[in-house]
Amino acid sequence: MTTAHIFLNHFSGLTDPRQSTKILYPLNEMLLLCLCGVIAGADSFSGIVDYGEEKLDFLRTLLPYKQGIPAHDTLNDLFRALDPKAFEDCFTAWVRDLSGTIPGLVAIDGKTLRGSRDGPQQALHMVSAWAVAQHVVMGQVRTAHKSNEITAIPQLLEMLVLKGAIVTIDAMGCQKAIAAAIVNKDADYVLALKGNQKDLYDDVRTFFESEEGRALPSLETTDADHGRIESRVYKISGDVQWLRERHPDWKGLQSIVMAGNRTTSASGDAPPECQTRFYISSLEPDLDRIANYVRGHWGIENSLHWVLDVTFDEDRCRVRKDNAPHIFAIVKRCALNLINQNKGKSSIASIRRRAGWNNLAMLRIISS
């Protein structure tokens, strides 16, 4: 069975919202068309239709397409009416079947789809779980605003299989209930601290500024890229019994982390930028390991959000009405997962071009 048919099998349980007597284009044909079109570089329904009309003979080797390719309005109407929660559930089950159990680092973060704003309708905000090493979107949940990430993250965690994983979340997700939910999933956490947990933040910061904290061994790294030199220093402490007594409801708390960052221009023509971040973790203190997790968290920005914005042009996508932006965003993540499974050393943009030009290249992606 090809990946394409596994994909369609997982989405076969979706309820088709159209009147059965008026359906000319079966749901599975429309989903496969959209998946292939997005892989091939189409970032709108009109682009998907263009791809389908040019590649109809190829698509008919996969499914009948007796009525040919639907109009872009037909695709839009379908996506507006589909149930996004059911679509998310199908996506998560498909990823689990595609990739199996995903150990290692899982970064959770949100992204606003700026082009989805429609008059008084707020832009769509998606909270995603990203398997950093495997470059796989494991799941996502829609929220109306960034501030709603606090309620969205527990929903996302509930959908995922996380046994043995290390979950990283920025300060918005540093909540007692979220820490407990991660531990209850047999996973560990590294959570960023900021002012939303003021007392805990102040205690951790004060510790690292104390004589004891300054005396801790440190790990220092330096990277140079894009005309910038970035120096980092990390410290960690597992002496947190005092902190657990002051803040008893943080389940699994085992260590606290300081990460200092200094960025300078390689040319020296700009003043340095300095920032210090603090973290709590359920992991035993291991400076090298946790420093890797802190750095690795930003893979969700570089390898997911940036790719969706730049390569998939997501922020300028004009799909706006009803459920269509949500469903289309998930299809893009389906396409990205499949491309990353076949990426090798090629860029994602190059793979998309080749898949659009060459049917065998497309077939390799959807049949891997």
Side-chain angles (χ1 to χ4, degrees):
M1 182 181 294
T2 68
T3 300
H5 288 96
I6 293 172
F7 169 84
L8 293 174
N9 282 347
H10 277 294
F11 286 82
S12 63
L14 282 174
T15 299
D16 193 327
R18 299 170 294 175
Q19 295 182 31
S20 58
T21 56
K22 297 182 179 180
I23 294 176
L24 291 177
Y25 305 98
L27 180 60
N28 63 344
E29 292 184 0
M30 296 177 78
L31 291 178
L32 183 62
L33 167 65
C34 289
L35 178 66
C36 291
V38 170
I39 289 172
D43 297 320
S44 66
F45 290 130
S46 295
I48 288 170
V49 170
D50 290 343
Y51 168 83
E53 290 176 346
E54 292 295 328
K55 297 292 185 177
L56 181 56
D57 289 342
F58 166 70
L59 291 169
R60 280 176 170 163
T61 66
L62 303 171
L63 290 175
Y65 289 93
K66 292 180 180 178
Q67 300 297 326
I69 301 300
H72 66 85
D73 285 343
T74 304
L75 289 173
N76 188 45
D77 289 345
L78 173 66
F79 275 44
R80 289 176 64 179
L82 284 169
D83 180 349
K85 177 60 171 65
F87 210 88
E88 282 177 351
D89 291 343
C90 292
F91 172 88
T92 304
W94 170 70
V95 172
R96 195 175 301 135
D97 199 14
L98 179 70
S99 305
T101 302
I102 298 177
L105 184 59
V106 176
I108 293 179
D109 197 15
K111 177 184 182 297
T112 300
L113 283 65
R114 304 187 188 284
S116 63
R117 182 173 181 177
D118 187 25
Q121 176 182 293
Q122 292 284 339
L124 177 67
H125 190 79
M126 300 280 284
V127 180
S128 299
W130 175 250
V132 174
Q134 296 82 4
H135 282 217
V136 167
V137 182
M138 298 173 64
Q140 64 279 302
V141 172
R142 169 185 181 167
T143 72
H145 307 280
K146 181 174 176 60
S147 60
N148 290 2
E149 286 185 14
I150 294 173
T151 56
I153 290 171
Q155 298 173 33
L156 179 57
L157 292 171
E158 185 61 31
M159 296 164 57
L160 304 175
V161 176
L162 292 170
K163 186 173 182 179
I166 297 88
V167 179
T168 59
I169 314 176
D170 67 11
M172 181 73 76
C174 190
Q175 306 289 331
K176 295 171 185 176
I178 290 173
I182 294 169
V183 173
N184 291 340
K185 283 278 187 172
D186 295 323
D188 285 291
Y189 60 78
V190 179
L191 305 179
L193 265 177
K194 280 189 180 177
N196 62 322
Q197 297 291 341
K198 185 178 185 306
D199 292 342
L200 180 61
Y201 176 87
D202 287 345
D203 283 344
V204 172
R205 183 191 62 187
T206 299
F207 170 81
F208 281 108
E209 291 175 349
S210 70
E211 184 176 346
E212 182 182 356
R214 291 196 302 270
L216 287 169
S218 62
L219 171 68
E220 298 184 21
T221 66
T222 301
D223 294 316
D225 194 17
H226 299 293
R228 301 188 310 168
I229 300 172
E230 191 166 7
S231 301
R232 306 180 187 90
V233 58
Y234 301 92
K235 291 186 176 184
I236 190 169
S237 175
D239 181 15
V240 294
Q241 181 58 35
W242 63 275
L243 192 63
R244 288 197 291 260
E245 291 171 358
R246 287 177 58 83
H247 306 275
D249 297 328
W250 289 92
K251 188 169 184 177
L253 178 60
Q254 295 287 343
S255 57
I256 54 178
V257 184
M258 184 206 77
N261 182 286
R262 177 185 172 90
T263 304
T264 57
S265 168
S267 61
D269 58 359
E273 298 177 8
C274 299
Q275 188 174 30
T276 301
R277 297 185 179 94
F278 301 101
Y279 300 82
I280 60 172
S281 178
S282 62
L283 293 165
E284 295 286 344
D286 183 324
L287 190 52
D288 287 329
R289 184 184 182 199
I290 294 182
N292 282 332
Y293 296 148
V294 169
R295 288 197 301 272
H297 174 79
W298 301 107
I300 193 170
E301 291 289 346
N302 300 329
S303 301
L304 177 60
H305 295 166
W306 186 89
V307 168
L308 288 170
D309 279 345
V310 175
T311 308
F312 286 80
D313 209 19
E314 187 166 74
D315 263 1
R316 293 196 298 172
C317 181
R318 309 297 286 178
V319 177
R320 293 178 170 179
K321 298 294 185 180
D322 303 320
N323 296 327
H326 189 175
I327 303 296
F328 199 45
I330 298 175
V331 171
K332 288 186 176 182
R333 285 149 179 81
C334 291
L336 180 59
N337 279 353
L338 287 173
I339 290 169
N340 278 333
Q341 296 284 306
N342 295 268
K343 186 171 177 291
K345 295 183 178 180
S346 300
S347 70
I348 291 174
S350 173
I351 291 172
R352 294 183 83 194
R353 284 194 299 270
R354 290 175 184 273
W357 296 335
N358 189 310
N359 294 340
L360 290 178
M362 175 65 76
L363 200 57
R364 279 194 297 270
I365 293 171
I366 65 174
S367 300
S368 61

